[in-house]
Amino acid sequence: MDQLMIAGEKFESRLVLGTGGLPSLDVLDKVIHCSGTEMVTVALRRIEASTSGPLLSVLERCRVRLLPNTAGCMTAREAVLTAKLAREAFETSWVKLEVIGDEHTLLPDPVELLDAAEQLVADGFTVLPYTNDDPIMARRLADIGCAAVMPLGSPIGSGLGIRNPHNIALIREAVSVPVVLDAGIGTASDAALAMELGCDAVLLATAVTRAHDPELMATAMRDAVSAGRLAYRAGRIPRRWHAQASTQVSGLPEL
Amino acid sequence: MRITVNGRSLEAMPGWSVGDLVRSRTEEQRRVAVARNGEVVPRGQWDSTPLAEGDLIEVLAPVAGG
């Protein structure tokens, strides 16, 4: 079987689903089911703003692994404390580590991210950092013990797809831990491209949760990730400048 | 005793613990996490952690998120 392995855990599905952005939690279990995902991201907020009751019952029914995030954190200190609170709340030491540099682009702050990742790895966390599409930064994060690296395709929620496919392929070459394309996926072809570039998995939320029909898009993403992975393993043909006939030339009659 | 809970200043009952405060906020205490003055208060220590004047408390619970 072609399974995904992260920190010794096996996954049949290579799609990680973010739960944010759905108009209603009523469709969350259907979306999870259609996507085939085995791991979904969740967050912590002040209890007055929480929807924990219905959310947790859906997630428990779906039997998916929870991956808490540190969304909204802008410093290493905030992110480390949020990860520790999430460990307490969700009883998991896995964390999607996000440390953003500003609220306009939501791009990662690499200096704070590396600092937070080092502290959390030292504290025994399984750290999956959301990072820029920078092969050097990805290597640094892998070197300090992150369980995976999660480069962005383009800014969170932008749906702009993969702006620098070359860097994503370079990241795949640069690290031995799983590479999870995180953020920027707009539609199924973006997810397929991520997998064709050699990514081990795709993490997406908005593309599904804000689609006109989230269940249908979840199904499309499941198939796109699967197709992209198969194409990567099959090996694409080299690109050629000129045409190459697929029907043999020998035996061509003179008419 | 003035404390700040989730950004709001309030008068806490004398002798209250973190556990008392959490129970006053929610019936569903599963999956709730508490920070006191920038440190996690583990669930097992809620009742043995008294509130103190000026405490900054955050009581957090799950939400859907990317």
Side-chain angles (χ1 to χ4, degrees), chain A residues 184-209:
Chain A
I185 298 291
T187 189
S189 51
D190 298 329
L193 175 60
M195 299 307 292
E196 289 168 13
L197 291 168
C199 290
D200 298 275
V202 170
L203 195 166
L204 57 88
T206 311
V208 163
T209 60

Side-chain angles (χ1 to χ4, degrees), chain A residues 14-241:
Chain A
R14 292 175 178 272
L15 179 57
V16 184
L17 195 66
T19 54
L22 277 174
S24 151
L25 285 175
D26 297 344
V27 292
L28 181 58
D29 53 353
K30 289 181 188 145
V31 164
I32 288 173
H33 178 73
C34 291
S35 73
T37 190
E38 294 163 274
M39 181 155 65
V40 303
T41 62
V42 287
L44 282 178
R45 286 293 179 265
R46 285 174 168 169
I47 197 160
E48 304 85 30
S50 165
T51 49
S52 66
L55 175 67
L56 290 171
S57 58
V58 169
L59 297 178
E60 280 162 16
R61 205 161 55 236
C62 293
R63 295 172 180 271
V64 282
R65 174 180 269 281
L66 300 183
L67 179 62
N69 69 26
T70 62
C73 292
M74 299 187 76
T75 65
R77 189 191 66 78
E78 288 171 3
V80 168
L81 179 55
T82 302
K84 288 177 179 175
L85 287 162
R87 179 168 63 182
E88 183 71 14
F90 296 108
E91 295 169 339
T92 175
S93 59
W94 286 41
V95 63
K96 172 183 166 178
L97 180 61
E98 292 180 59
V99 192
I100 56 167
D102 69 43
E103 288 168 5
H104 176 58
T105 63
L106 300 180
L107 289 171
D109 180 325
V111 177
E112 296 292 323
L113 180 67
L114 196 63
D115 180 5
E118 274 180 314
Q119 292 184 49
L120 290 171
V121 168
D123 197 13
F125 279 85
T126 296
V127 180
L128 291 79
Y130 164 64
T131 177
N132 287 294
D133 55 358
D134 174 356
I136 309 303
M137 184 63 188
R139 200 178 63 215
R140 292 288 296 268
L141 289 163
D143 285 349
I144 63 162
C146 290
V149 291
M150 305 209 295
L152 56 82
S154 52
I156 293 170
S158 69
L160 289 171
I162 299 173
R163 303 316 301 167
N164 196 338
H166 181 63
N167 270 24
I168 299 298
L170 284 176
I171 288 172
R172 179 56 291 169
E173 288 176 8
V175 300
S176 56
V177 294
V179 176
V180 182
L181 196 289
D182 180 6
I185 298 291
T187 189
S189 51
D190 298 329
L193 175 60
M195 299 307 292
E196 289 168 13
L197 291 168
C199 290
D200 298 275
V202 170
L203 195 166
L204 57 88
T206 311
V208 163
T209 60
R210 299 213 161 106
H212 176 66
D213 185 333
E215 289 172 54
L216 206 51
M217 189 58 91
T219 308
M221 291 301 183
R222 179 198 66 193
D223 290 351
V225 167
S226 175
R229 176 67 183 174
L230 290 175
Y232 173 72
R233 290 174 59 205
R236 67 153 297 137
I237 59 165
R239 289 176 174 84
R240 301 168 62 92
W241 192 249

